Amino acid sequence: MLIINTLYNLHKYGKNFFKVIFFEIIFSIYFLFKTSKTYKNSNIIDCVPTPYYFLYLLSGLIKNFKINNIIDVGSGTGRIILFLEKFNKKKVIGIECNSKAFEYSKRIMPQSKIFLSRVEDFQFNFKKNDLVIDRKSTRLNS
């Protein structure tokens, strides 16, 4: 299913197509495909992982703006958390409402702060967190 979703969305990347493919190959190998699972739930849409190319760009912004505390809303299997904790050495909090994706991410990242919660029920501390990432903010527009 992940491959089908990826192929379906490739046309949206336009001139960044080859960069997206390059980063997906390199970082999927680096992380040994740990965060490439997808889950379906009748209450939510498919969990489609954020492209590593976007995470690479986001990583640069985090360094430039000296962002220290990040919340990933709809963290899925933890791709954003794993990437930013590894390459930016930042504290990332994940919020996921899908119990299967939550259990999987806790299994591969037991040290990370990931919560099983709906966004509406989660108590945010906006004074402490510099950046909140949600699913819609991680889509590349061509």
Side-chain angles (χ1 to χ4, degrees):
M1 189 59 163
L2 175 64
I3 293 170
I4 293 170
N5 286 334
T6 302
L7 291 175
Y8 175 76
N9 289 309
L10 286 180
H11 73 280
K12 296 179 182 179
Y13 296 116
K15 65 181 179 179
N16 293 320
F17 172 79
F18 291 107
K19 291 179 186 174
V20 170
I21 296 300
F22 173 78
F23 278 83
E24 285 303 306
I25 292 168
I26 296 300
F27 287 107
S28 292
I29 291 169
Y30 182 83
F31 289 121
L32 301 173
F33 297 93
K34 284 184 180 178
T35 61
S36 296
K37 287 189 174 260
T38 58
Y39 294 96
K40 286 186 180 180
N41 184 316
S42 60
N43 298 326
I44 63 171
I45 60 175
D46 285 339
C47 172
V48 179
T50 302
Y52 282 117
Y53 179 65
F54 173 82
L55 296 178
Y56 167 78
L57 297 175
L58 181 63
S59 182
L61 290 173
I62 289 170
K63 290 176 185 171
N64 289 339
F65 287 99
K66 297 177 175 55
I67 294 171
N68 293 311
N69 300 299
I70 303 160
I71 295 179
D72 179 16
V73 176
S75 59
T77 57
R79 181 179 270 212
I80 294 174
I81 298 168
L82 190 63
F83 189 93
L84 296 179
E85 285 183 348
K86 177 72 176 173
F87 293 105
N88 287 81
K89 308 289 189 232
K90 301 296 180 184
K91 180 179 126 183
V92 184
I93 295 172
I95 304 168
E96 179 54 48
C97 66
N98 182 306
S99 60
K100 289 181 181 180
F102 167 77
E103 289 167 10
Y104 181 80
S105 61
K106 285 302 284 182
R107 193 169 44 249
I108 66 168
M109 299 177 295
Q111 76 288 354
S112 298
K113 290 187 178 180
I114 305 169
F115 300 94
L116 179 62
S117 175
R118 293 181 334 148
V119 176
E120 301 86 18
D121 300 332
F122 191 79
Q123 298 296 318
F124 290 92
N125 182 351
F126 287 107
K127 293 178 184 176
K128 188 176 180 184
N129 296 291
D130 303 322
L131 176 65
V132 176
I133 301 169
D134 69 19
R135 180 176 162 74
K136 290 181 182 174
S137 69
T138 61
R139 293 186 183 162
L140 286 176
N141 295 319
S142 55

